[in-house]
Amino acid sequence: MLNIGLLGCGRIGAVHAASIRRQAQARVAAVADAVPAAAEALAESAGATVMDSDALINSPDVDAVVIGTPTDTHFDLIHGAAAAGKAIFCEKPIDMSADRIRDCSRAVQAARVPFMTAFNRRFDPSFANLQARLAAGEIGQTEIVTILSRDPSPPPLQYIKSSGGIFRDMMIHDLDMARFLLGEEPIQVFAVGSALVDADIGAAGDVDTAAVTLTTASGKICQISNSRRATYGYDQRIEVHGSGGMLRAANVHENTVEAATGSGFQTAPAKHFFLERYERAYAREMAHFIDAVSHGTQPSPGIEDGLRAQVLADAATLSWQEGVPVQVT
Amino acid sequence: MLNIGLLGCGRIGAVHAASIRRQAQARVAAVADAVPAAAEALAESAGATVMDSDALINSPDVDAVVIGTPTDTHFDLIHGAAAAGKAIFCEKPIDMSADRIRDCSRAVQAARVPFMTAFNRRFDPSFANLQARLAAGEIGQTEIVTILSRDPSPPPLQYIKSSGGIFRDMMIHDLDMARFLLGEEPIQVFAVGSALVDADIGAAGDVDTAAVTLTTASGKICQISNSRRATYGYDQRIEVHGSGGMLRAANVHENTVEAATGSGFQTAPAKHFFLERYERAYAREMAHFIDAVSHGTQPSPGIEDGLRAQVLADAATLSWQEGVPVQVT
Amino acid sequence: MLNIGLLGCGRIGAVHAASIRRQAQARVAAVADAVPAAAEALAESAGATVMDSDALINSPDVDAVVIGTPTDTHFDLIHGAAAAGKAIFCEKPIDMSADRIRDCSRAVQAARVPFMTAFNRRFDPSFANLQARLAAGEIGQTEIVTILSRDPSPPPLQYIKSSGGIFRDMMIHDLDMARFLLGEEPIQVFAVGSALVDADIGAAGDVDTAAVTLTTASGKICQISNSRRATYGYDQRIEVHGSGGMLRAANVHENTVEAATGSGFQTAPAKHFFLERYERAYAREMAHFIDAVSHGTQPSPGIEDGLRAQVLADAATLSWQEGVPVQVT
Amino acid sequence: MLNIGLLGCGRIGAVHAASIRRQAQARVAAVADAVPAAAEALAESAGATVMDSDALINSPDVDAVVIGTPTDTHFDLIHGAAAAGKAIFCEKPIDMSADRIRDCSRAVQAARVPFMTAFNRRFDPSFANLQARLAAGEIGQTEIVTILSRDPSPPPLQYIKSSGGIFRDMMIHDLDMARFLLGEEPIQVFAVGSALVDADIGAAGDVDTAAVTLTTASGKICQISNSRRATYGYDQRIEVHGSGGMLRAANVHENTVEAATGSGFQTAPAKHFFLERYERAYAREMAHFIDAVSHGTQPSPGIEDGLRAQVLADAATLSWQEGVPVQVT
């Protein structure tokens, strides 16, 4: 039985607690949150003990920690948990600064603790299936990756002001997906962006509509486009063109009903909210972490993947600001 | 060059004339119609000579006749054309009476002239593709055939009164398709029907909504359903369940555009009118006839196919009237 | 908190236990099974007490019973639970004999206990969505219902021998769905069937391929077809043609990935097993039962729905045996 | 009756001749080709007169010319036809040099003759439908345009060496489509490219896999990707994300048949060859030209559209070569 300590009892903490409950070989042993009521509510439903975060990290009753606290607290928690020898599951982004992620990486490597970066989309059944078939050579060599990703609606302006911008808080998922699918590191990033959804987002120094082009050393190309708003649900599509064919993953719809009338044939909107769209991805992600830690293997994606996605997001931000392609090493 | 005489210059005559124009090895040499203006209009656009039907049938300048006149004239025209040694392409139904079709069949066989019954749907690219793959064994043995066929809207009541009823004028296409797909003759027909679209159709002694179950000696099953009205276009689907899988042909839509909004994802209606829905089927059907006659082979479907579909339509009508399954021999 | 006693700890019992665990206002309080080990295993994972079925039914710690035992035990359990004043959730079929179901119905009505027949498909999100829109008039009047239902593979021959036959053990789900969608009772049933999948099924006096036509007093028509085998997954489609359009529910696929190669465009098989295909239906079904009992309302479908489906299955069996349409009153 | 002179009797000339034959108000009056046999063959099937190109351009029996000759001859033919007062339909690209197109434009404007650039894809029924609905505001303001365009297989290397490169000979269609959909001129072009399909294409100084990002003054974004090879047919998709939703046009498949087996559900490849994929676009394009000229209105797209697409292709080529975004004025 793997005893897990949950750091952060907000929305994403609750998601992870539910995922842990589905696994027979793990349980939520302890929870911590800056808001006592949040910790207590989750503790009660999970049958866990409330602790403060330091105590939790160092508790002998905790084998692994799940970090779902605000980004600026990750650095200290990672260092603390690594020092205490706990396995670590950390929400993305690991940190706003690539250098500080490198620092965390050194601490994790020195402590030889398992570390997993929570890029949940890699565990979506369709995206995972696509990637596995790609890796198995089903369509030969990868040539062009296309990622279309649109959120249903923008987050609160307050969130945007401290999020690091669209490339770091939203597109970072797509940048990780690009790495996952390209099978090769991007060496150049070119980004454009506009505030078309909400002028206030532009006034806050960010964009809500963005497009990036990545290229790799061998000439593979990836195009990503993002919008902070889609009226028809949470639009999440990926497509890989290869030497032997094409693989793509379509949207997940609310149901399979089709209505035919004089206006044509209509199917349901895409699932609207990330929690329902990626429900199975969250469950499979946590299952993988628990399984890896239980078997003493390294979970994936690791801290290096968290770092590289952040480096790409930084490069995209710079490219957008400067108007030129940015090289990544 | 095959010289074709067109008997009947109405809507379907014009379709066949256009199909003939697409073929390099044939031409419309002569046309006839009870309405002189119709004959003249088609003659002018086709560069053909207007004749009366007797003269056309016996003209040495005519190698083959295409019969697109009212059903009750088919019998005499077929006998005349057979006697004159012309190849015959005849619209369905060949005749309202199965016995009279048998009589035509004897005349055609005695004269040894090629004869084709115009079941155009067999030449629809999708239906033909499906049947060819079925015949090639792609899904093993046929077990269940499902045919969903709905017209966009009912024909004029006047037409219905003289059409022989829904089983003979509309479902006959599906009954032929069932034979085409089952690969075995139905031995039993069970039919039900209702007047749900228009009570006047019921008052006229017919139904506008009908369903038939066919069974064959080896136990294959076919279900057909018809409606005289579909708000979303001309709905024409077939599906075959076999021991090794399933083959189905979907509707043909007006275009490939999909619109996504808060209401969901919407594609275009099905093509609305039989002339546009089956445009390619008409062209391929005539190409087959011309090709067969030019090469001295027997076109298919032949007069026997026209007869057997009519026998099934008669049995369906009787089953609906009597409320019991009817055996077919 | 609703305390539920689980009668039967086999596969379906485990499904219901898992569904109950998802509901905050209910718990599995007690379990019973003829096989002690099965009861103990489920009791342990659910934190429940093992009892024998009599004790469970009469326990003051049990508010409601979920009956998932073999069909021939239902009759006594229902009578016992009704006498004890427990709410009852019962797997289908309630009993093999319509008369015995009528007897159960009288006992349930006399005891005034809530009763739900477990026709889980009514709770499938797509089928439920379709039915709700149909009931709301989205496509006007229902005219033709088409149900295509194929199992991935036949059950063991031993099961078939005691199941009551395809119409009672498999098509009964579709017959209930037909009633759900027609909004009107069928008055006539016509059935045909063949043993095409496995000759041994035929030798055992059953069929594995079957088709039924239902008609209602107002002339609505329903066609159902079943096969015990589909190579491409669990094929479950329903379609309703109405005066204003058409509503249909497509299959649920394993994922949304599409592969394009020289052979064409390929998507994943349909979900293969009924437990995964109807996972959400099972959860929503139990949620409805718990909610209804907790609020003192009558759950639906009730015992009358279980009876009527059985009557239709009996009529279909008779129609298949006699080769004639059977009237239902 | 509009008398059309066909300059160039190769593959595309034959396509235009067939399109003209479908129009009642026009005919191919004269044809010219550097290869006499090609001219004679087309003349015979079209019932036209063979002339040399000078004579054709100046013939009083010719009202309009259709230029389908090699690109390097367009300049002189356009000047000649303009001087002779003929309406002009010219294949793309008008010329390899934007400056020379400007020169042609001045000649055409001075002569006040109708001029149409043959961007046939604007007349594809699906693309035209999408653009019309976009222009009508169905999805609000355009924000992101995505164009995925892959040829079935690369042209001969000899062709590539003189084609001006992938941006000028292949992507130019997509650049025109981008302008058609953006409703606003791009002001910046960023391009990347690789030779992934055939190293010989790279050795010849071109690429076979390319991606472009366009931006407009108001911040609209367009991403285009091209490959010279797709195993699954001619892949031609466009998609527009707008403030109110999304419109996309899917591929056109060979037929509507779907096969379901243990491997999943498979539909037909995309139509493979541009002549069959865009058959209706070619016909509608010519109908528009004939209609505009017959009614004295200016056809669209005009010579300015041909120029602007070429300017974008030049900018893309430069961006790819220099590795930086290129501004367009």
Side-chain angles (χ1 to χ4, degrees), chain C residues 194-206:
Chain C
S194 313
L196 300 177
V197 173
D198 184 349
D200 286 347
I201 293 177
D206 198 6

Side-chain angles (χ1 to χ4, degrees), chain A residues 143 194 219 229 237 239 241, chain D residues 143 194 219 229 237 239 241:
Chain A
E143 294 174 350
S194 311
R229 178 250 296 116
R237 288 170 286 152
E239 169 172 335
H241 181 90
Chain D
E143 294 173 351
S194 312
R229 178 250 297 114
R237 289 171 287 151
E239 168 172 335
H241 182 89

Side-chain angles (χ1 to χ4, degrees), chain D residues 15-85:
Chain D
V15 168
H16 293 317
S19 296
I20 293 166
R21 261 201 297 277
R22 292 190 182 199
Q23 301 297 317
Q25 76 270 38
R27 69 185 191 99
V28 181
V31 301
D33 198 285
V35 181
E40 277 152 29
L42 196 54
E44 187 177 358
S45 78
T49 309
V50 176
M51 299 185 182
D52 70 28
S53 58
D54 263 8
L56 184 153
I57 284 172
N58 292 292
S59 165
D61 296 341
V62 166
D63 305 315
V65 296
V66 167
I67 303 177
T69 51
T71 302
D72 57 8
T73 67
H74 290 183
F75 184 89
D76 288 343
L77 295 173
I78 291 168
H79 279 82

